Amino acid sequence: PNADAYGAARERLRNQARPAGSLGILEEVGARLAGIFGTIDVRLDRKIVITCAGDHGICAEGVSRFPQKVTPQMVYNFVGGGASVSVLARHAGAEVRVADLGVDWDFAPDLPIYHKKVRKGTANFAAVPAMTREEAVRSIEAGIEIVDELTAEGPVHLIGTGDMGIGNTSPSTAIIAAYSNIPVPELTGRGTGIDDDGLRKKIAAIEKGLALHRPDPKDPVGVLEKVGGLEIGGLAGLVIGAAAHGIPVVCDGLIATAGALIACELAPSARPYLFAGHNSVEVGHRYMLEHLGLQPLLHLEFRLGEGTGAALAMTLMDAATRILAEIKTFAEVGINDAQ
Amino acid sequence: PNADAYGAARERLRNQARPAGSLGILEEVGARLAGIFGTIDVRLDRKIVITCAGDHGICAEGVSRFPQKVTPQMVYNFVGGGASVSVLARHAGAEVRVADLGVDWDFAPDLPIYHKKVRKGTANFAAVPAMTREEAVRSIEAGIEIVDELTAEGPVHLIGTGDMGIGNTSPSTAIIAAYSNIPVPELTGRGTGIDDDGLRKKIAAIEKGLALHRPDPKDPVGVLEKVGGLEIGGLAGLVIGAAAHGIPVVCDGLIATAGALIACELAPSARPYLFAGHNSVEVGHRYMLEHLGLQPLLHLEFRLGEGTGAALAMTLMDAATRILAEIKTFAEVGINDAQ
């Protein structure tokens, strides 16, 4: 990011005809976007939410209330435009793209999604590593490739990251456990809505996997390999790819932020391009945001994924750009003695 | 509101192809709007933010860091379209209308605002009642008239309420003090950004006014008369007028919510039409929302007024209507065994 444009933005915000700092969090969002684009007149014209899908062997432990076949069914729903992220992206003026990183299903090659399947679902990380190290690397590379392919079509001004994968709050929780050292029961939420018995199984499965593999937080690819997910690797790659292209990226909830965390551990220079869309009901998400030093834009008690929180947050990022560019200064409106 | 439409909305939300309850606060917003409009296919096509302006005699106590003449200067800024609320309303696809309830300034009769001046600013409520009882009634009536005039132009689907008035966090804080019995120092914020000395003066002035007039919370018009503001009366009238016309109304921060509180005390049947736009930095606002039983949509650390938080919240209310109407159900997308 460009420090001069950031500084010019902060100065303009300070001189606008309103009390200094009175537009709270959106002022810093606008200034950061100015730094990223090198101008205070930012236009987020082309916004794209990328929803990465994958399946999870950990489902064998009874950690989710939905069957795994819902993952491919929801991929078709995204393509059809009737899913939650489809609706919220339309509201935000964004496109949705879907990527198969590891769904346990054969999609027809002409289905309009990114076909980046690394393998058909992870292994059960409560028993064996979720994937090989090569597969972990490949999933991250696939996310980077998607951004390369997208930008080859034309300029992209904002990328949102979202996920689909039955069972994927378990690997995401395992990842934040590896980075925070907070006990698993304090980090584990109910995902799509499991009952008390399911929650006990989920905590036990995550604890078993962590005890078995002892993922080393200094080796983010190893964390992904041992307790991660293929779509989580893809989501990490999206953040790295976006940053490499100078594109801001807003992440959704627990799963997308797990990917962003892996990305920033691998490539700390990606962090200045990263924004947090919302604050998920899933408790582990809060610790991820703390680890990343991100302040979420929305607090709506969402616990859905798909990119829904990222899509809706895009509307606030658009608002932040307009605040910066369009609110007049005291001098511009001739109120010279107010301050 | 129509209980059948509300019930049908809740049922549709429950059956959508996503975990039940996963879109958090926006589900209830959508269902409430369905109840208000009597349909699950709500379109908030015509949205209007009404910014009510007035001046305050309490400024003589040194409670604000801006001089009073900024109130009329900002009215001209609203009309010119370069103010914060102008920008955020454009972002939300809303119009801004400005109303003079009691600015200490002579506006030209052809200035395109609602000319509803009750008097040129309140008296200093630390010494005498802010206004007469007749003036308090007149200010509320003026707000109701504005909604009558607006709806006479054509259908209105959502009204946002905002304020402009140097010094107006003081009467607003006095109002929530009268209703909560919480000590004034715990309720008083820094408004536009006063220093420690200003904060002490502000607390002292509010305490003096409350001790002198002992406003009776069972007499909301009396509270307005003794420690209120003319634009606060107008803001109360807007809520009553909107509810009377069956129009949902989203209130902004401390001052607009003070008006909404007076409105709901006077006319409790207005409450089902009321939404809270955001959670202000001003501490008293939280207690107003608790008193009204409202959950704010945005948490962006705004402390500006003008209707900025209400305008931005309109985009989330639009999102809530699209969530309800457009996200497909499990049955509609053929995922029949997911639940």
Side-chain angles (χ1 to χ4, degrees):
Chain A
N2 178 323
D4 289 345
Y6 175 87
R10 295 267 21 155
E11 192 185 344
R12 179 170 176 85
L13 290 162
R14 206 161 37 239
N15 291 328
Q16 287 174 339
R18 57 186 178 80
S22 58
L23 285 171
I25 293 170
L26 293 190
E27 297 194 19
E28 179 65 6
V29 170
R32 286 183 59 200
L33 289 169
I36 289 170
F37 289 96
T39 170
I40 62 167
D41 194 16
V42 175
R43 309 284 169 94
L44 302 174
D45 287 332
R46 188 152 173 251
K47 298 184 279 285
I48 300 177
V49 178
I50 304 165
T51 304
C52 293
D55 274 311
H56 296 271
I58 195 78
C59 283
E61 304 289 324
V63 298
S64 180
R65 66 180 285 272
F66 285 89
Q68 269 192 270
K69 64 181 164 185
V70 170
T71 305
Q73 287 174 317
M74 286 303 295
V75 167
Y76 291 114
N77 194 13
F78 300 145
V79 173
S84 303
V85 69
S86 322
V87 170
L88 286 170
R90 270 201 300 277
H91 170 69
E95 294 169 53
V96 177
R97 301 288 181 100
V98 188
D100 171 18
L101 275 293
V103 181
D104 189 8
W105 184 263
D106 291 309
F107 293 110
D110 62 347
L111 189 72
I113 64 174
Y114 290 102
H115 296 274
K116 302 283 183 186
K117 200 191 299 288
V118 177
R119 58 181 270 180
K120 283 190 167 177
T122 53
N124 179 355
F125 77 76
V128 294
M131 63 189 91
T132 67
R133 190 166 184 95
E134 290 65 34
E135 288 164 343
V137 170
R138 178 70 201 113
S139 69
I140 296 168
E141 287 174 344
I144 297 170
E145 286 168 14
I146 290 168
V147 181
D148 288 343
E149 293 170 33
L150 258 181
T151 53
E153 289 175 32
V156 177
H157 305 105
L158 180 57
I159 286 174
T161 65
D163 71 286
M164 180 68 224
I166 298 301
N168 67 8
T169 60
S170 291
S172 303
T173 303
I175 289 170
I176 184 58
Y179 280 98
S180 69
N181 279 317
I182 293 168
V184 173
E186 287 177 41
L187 292 171
T188 308
R190 289 175 188 270
T192 51
I194 45 170
D195 59 16
D196 289 349
D197 185 50
L199 186 60
R200 275 188 295 272
K201 286 180 187 161
K202 183 173 174 180
I203 291 168
I206 296 167
E207 285 179 334
K208 203 171 151 194
L210 289 167
L212 185 64
H213 306 303
R214 303 201 168 280
D216 175 7
K218 292 195 195 69
D219 175 19
V221 173
V223 173
L224 188 63
E225 168 199 350
K226 289 169 175 171
V227 300
L230 297 153
E231 80 278 42
I232 295 171
L235 289 158
L238 291 179
V239 171
I240 294 170
H245 284 277
I247 301 167
V249 55
V250 54
C251 60
D252 195 34
L254 186 78
I255 296 92
T257 311
L261 196 161
I262 296 285
C264 292
E265 290 292 325
L266 267 175
S269 58
R271 169 62 184 78
Y273 296 85
L274 186 62
F275 295 80
H278 78 117
N279 187 31
S280 169
V281 170
E282 280 286 311
V283 287
H285 190 228
R286 181 158 55 89
Y287 297 101
M288 292 177 181
L289 295 177
E290 276 177 21
H291 185 89
L292 286 161
L294 289 170
Q295 194 164 17
L297 289 169
L298 290 164
H299 299 257
L300 290 168
E301 300 178 15
F302 280 15
R303 50 180 177 79
L304 175 49
E306 300 183 8
T308 46
L312 195 53
M314 286 175 163
T315 67
L316 297 187
M317 295 176 74
D318 268 328
T321 67
R322 299 188 72 159
I323 284 168
L324 174 58
E326 298 179 22
I327 296 175
K328 292 193 176 168
T329 63
F330 282 112
E332 284 167 355
V333 297
I335 306 180
N336 295 315
D337 46 7
Q339 291 191 293
Chain B
N2 178 323
D4 289 344
Y6 175 87
R10 294 269 18 156
E11 193 185 342
R12 180 172 175 84
L13 290 162
R14 207 159 38 238
N15 292 327
Q16 286 174 340
R18 58 185 176 82
S22 57
L23 285 172
I25 293 171
L26 293 190
E27 298 194 20
E28 179 66 6
V29 170
R32 286 183 60 200
L33 289 170
I36 290 170
F37 289 96
T39 171
I40 62 167
D41 194 16
V42 175
R43 309 283 170 94
L44 302 173
D45 287 332
R46 188 152 174 253
K47 298 185 279 286
I48 299 176
V49 178
I50 304 165
T51 304
C52 294
D55 274 311
H56 297 271
I58 194 78
C59 284
E61 304 290 323
V63 298
S64 180
R65 66 180 285 272
F66 284 89
Q68 269 193 269
K69 64 181 162 184
V70 171
T71 305
Q73 286 175 319
M74 287 302 296
V75 166
Y76 290 114
N77 194 12
F78 300 146
V79 172
S84 302
V85 70
S86 320
V87 170
L88 287 170
R90 271 200 300 276
H91 171 69
E95 295 169 53
V96 177
R97 302 288 181 100
V98 187
D100 170 18
L101 275 293
V103 182
D104 189 9
W105 184 261
D106 291 309
F107 294 109
D110 62 347
L111 189 73
I113 64 174
Y114 290 102
H115 296 274
K116 301 284 183 185
K117 200 191 300 288
V118 176
R119 58 182 270 180
K120 282 190 168 179
T122 53
N124 178 356
F125 76 77
V128 293
M131 62 189 91
T132 66
R133 190 167 184 95
E134 290 66 35
E135 287 164 342
V137 170
R138 178 70 202 113
S139 69
I140 297 168
E141 287 174 343
I144 296 171
E145 286 168 15
I146 289 168
V147 182
D148 288 343
E149 293 170 32
L150 258 181
T151 54
E153 290 175 32
V156 177
H157 305 105
L158 179 58
I159 286 174
T161 65
D163 71 285
M164 181 67 224
I166 298 302
N168 66 9
T169 61
S170 291
S172 302
T173 302
I175 289 170
I176 184 58
Y179 280 97
S180 69
N181 278 319
I182 294 169
V184 172
E186 287 177 42
L187 292 172
T188 308
R190 288 175 188 271
T192 51
I194 45 169
D195 60 15
D196 290 350
D197 184 52
L199 186 60
R200 275 189 295 271
K201 286 180 187 162
K202 183 174 174 180
I203 291 168
I206 296 167
E207 285 180 333
K208 201 171 154 195
L210 289 167
L212 184 65
H213 307 302
R214 303 198 169 280
D216 174 7
K218 291 195 195 67
D219 175 20
V221 174
V223 173
L224 188 63
E225 168 198 351
K226 289 169 174 172
V227 299
L230 297 154
E231 80 277 43
I232 295 172
L235 289 158
L238 290 179
V239 171
I240 294 170
H245 284 276
I247 301 168
V249 55
V250 54
C251 61
D252 196 32
L254 187 79
I255 295 92
T257 310
L261 196 160
I262 296 286
C264 292
E265 291 291 325
L266 267 175
S269 58
R271 169 62 183 77
Y273 296 87
L274 186 62
F275 295 80
H278 78 118
N279 187 32
S280 170
V281 169
E282 281 284 311
V283 288
H285 190 228
R286 180 158 56 90
Y287 297 101
M288 292 177 180
L289 295 177
E290 275 177 23
H291 185 91
L292 287 162
L294 288 171
Q295 194 165 16
L297 288 169
L298 290 164
H299 299 258
L300 290 168
E301 302 179 12
F302 280 16
R303 50 179 177 78
L304 176 49
E306 300 183 6
T308 48
L312 196 53
M314 286 177 163
T315 69
L316 297 186
M317 295 176 75
D318 268 327
T321 67
R322 299 188 72 158
I323 285 169
L324 174 58
E326 296 179 23
I327 296 176
K328 292 192 175 166
T329 63
F330 281 112
E332 283 166 356
V333 296
I335 306 180
N336 295 315
D337 47 6
Q339 289 193 292

